[in-house]
Amino acid sequence: MEFCDECGSMMHTEGSEWECSSCGATKPRDSAEEAAMTTTQGQDMDSGPVDMSEVDDEEIGPTTKVRCPECGHDRARYEMKQIRAADESETRFFTCTDCDHKWREDDH
């Protein structure tokens, strides 16, 4: 990937030159420099599902004492994610260690 020295836009290749589609600036291509560039072309972007069948529960993530609304068990794995605006608290996602029921808690 090459960026325009004039306007900072991303350039594309046009024969033996890089060309900016925003301002029209051009510069010669350097094959040695291009060989060092990393490309996503041909890379496997989705490796599919991960097999967790042989992973111990303790290795999956932290647990906490919380009551499962489905079975009443008192332990669950948890993770926290920021899914709302940055000035709001994170959402807590739980998975019961007994029945694998999933639920979430938000601060209101």
Side-chain angles (χ1 to χ4, degrees):
M1 185 179 306
E2 191 70 32
F3 293 94
C4 180
D5 295 331
E6 302 296 319
C7 70
S9 295
M10 190 167 59
M11 301 179 86
H12 65 277
T13 57
E14 190 65 44
S16 62
E17 293 186 318
W18 286 99
E19 185 177 310
C20 178
S21 54
S22 295
C23 72
T26 61
K27 63 181 173 180
R29 292 175 65 179
D30 180 349
S31 58
E33 187 178 291
E34 288 180 34
M37 291 181 182
T38 302
T39 177
T40 58
Q41 188 175 15
Q43 292 182 2
D44 182 12
M45 301 307 267
D46 181 17
S47 58
V50 176
D51 181 11
M52 299 291 285
S53 61
E54 295 183 20
V55 178
D56 293 332
D57 282 345
E58 295 80 32
E59 296 177 30
I60 293 175
T63 61
T64 189
K65 186 174 175 120
V66 63
R67 184 155 309 280
C68 172
E70 189 74 18
C71 72
H73 188 68
D74 67 348
R75 297 273 332 140
R77 288 186 302 280
Y78 71 93
E79 61 181 316
M80 299 177 78
K81 292 184 180 178
Q82 186 71 41
I83 60 172
R84 295 175 289 165
D87 63 342
E88 296 186 42
S89 62
E90 294 177 310
T91 301
R92 292 172 302 279
F93 292 89
F94 297 97
T95 304
C96 178
T97 57
D98 191 46
C99 71
D100 286 331
H101 175 69
K102 295 177 181 354
W103 74 99
R104 66 188 244 182
E105 286 183 1
D106 297 309
D107 288 337
H108 298 285

